[in-house]
Amino acid sequence: MGKRILCIDTELTCWDDPAYQKAQTLEIIQFGLAEIDIERFCVSRTGSYYITNVRHPVSKFCYQLTGISQSTLDKRGMPLTQAAELLTTKWGVGQRWNGLVSWGDERSWMAPDFAAKGVDYPFHNGLLNLADYYRFNFCSHRRERASLTSAAIRYGVEVAQPQHNAEADALTLANLVMAMIRAGDLYPALCPDDEQ
């Protein structure tokens, strides 16, 4: 298999009280992935895994934001250990040959939950935070917030629905990555020959 870029998104437990949320170790409740096949320059597959929560029930705020209910996690969730195995064997998140891209500092959000549950962190250290890259290159002042939606609109990328669904957000991210490559704004060496 040739080069791939894996676009990763997560949904985590959340609350409408920022002080309370800051004091918690957030739990991953969904992984979403979208794989870009560099040779064919297309999204070759997407996927999603719901993760069983053990420390915090899904709050009303979290359900309203993500659409993920406690019932969904009870029925369709899997332990984080099982998800880590699938991310490693089916997606290759630990292989440095695969590029890893997220919108935001996913590592700082994911790693504490892996540590709290005693599960080895499966992602290699080359995870690119595209939000920081985008903000540095395209925002006019340092406090300007860069959202995935605003970046997608800038590049003419359709925002997959529903938002705050990890698989849909990973797909939006993958399409944004490809648009930025085509524009020469990201990984210029990967621009398809017909675009140069």
Side-chain angles (χ1 to χ4, degrees), residues 34-74:
E35 178 183 271
I36 301 170
D37 179 323
I38 295 301
E39 290 174 6
R40 296 184 311 155
F41 206 70
C42 66
V43 175
S44 52
R45 63 181 172 146
T46 65
S48 172
Y49 302 110
Y50 289 108
I51 310 304
T52 307
N53 51 331
V54 296
R55 290 189 307 277
H56 309 289
V58 174
S59 69
K60 181 179 178 183
F61 173 81
C62 190
Y63 170 69
Q64 291 171 337
L65 181 68
T66 67
I68 300 170
S69 67
Q70 186 62 55
S71 176
T72 297
L73 298 181
D74 292 343

Side-chain angles (χ1 to χ4, degrees), residues 13 15 20 24-27 29 53-58 70:
T13 51
W15 299 268
Y20 179 80
Q24 305 306 310
T25 298
L26 305 180
E27 284 189 270
I29 56 174
N53 51 331
V54 296
R55 290 189 307 277
H56 309 289
V58 174
Q70 186 62 55

Side-chain angles (χ1 to χ4, degrees), residues 139-195:
C139 293
S140 56
H141 56 282
R142 65 183 172 145
R143 293 195 187 263
E144 186 175 342
R145 192 173 186 291
S147 71
L148 178 58
T149 299
S150 65
I153 290 168
R154 177 189 182 113
Y155 282 89
V157 169
E158 182 178 346
V159 176
Q161 299 298 324
Q163 292 183 57
H164 299 293
N165 171 284
E167 185 173 6
D169 290 348
L171 178 59
T172 299
L173 179 60
N175 286 321
L176 175 61
V177 166
M178 289 189 299
M180 291 179 74
I181 291 171
R182 278 190 200 99
D185 293 336
L186 181 69
Y187 302 130
L190 298 179
C191 187
D193 292 335
D194 60 340
E195 303 284 334

Side-chain angles (χ1 to χ4, degrees), residues 6-25:
L6 301 173
C7 296
I8 300 157
D9 190 70
T10 56
E11 299 303 330
L12 298 108
T13 51
C14 54
W15 299 268
D16 58 357
D17 179 347
Y20 179 80
Q21 181 163 311
K22 191 172 184 175
Q24 305 306 310
T25 298

Side-chain angles (χ1 to χ4, degrees), residues 6 87-88 91-98 100 122-125:
L6 301 173
L87 292 167
T88 301
W91 294 89
V93 300
Q95 298 172 2
R96 293 196 62 80
W97 179 253
N98 296 323
L100 298 178
F123 299 91
H124 69 68
N125 289 329

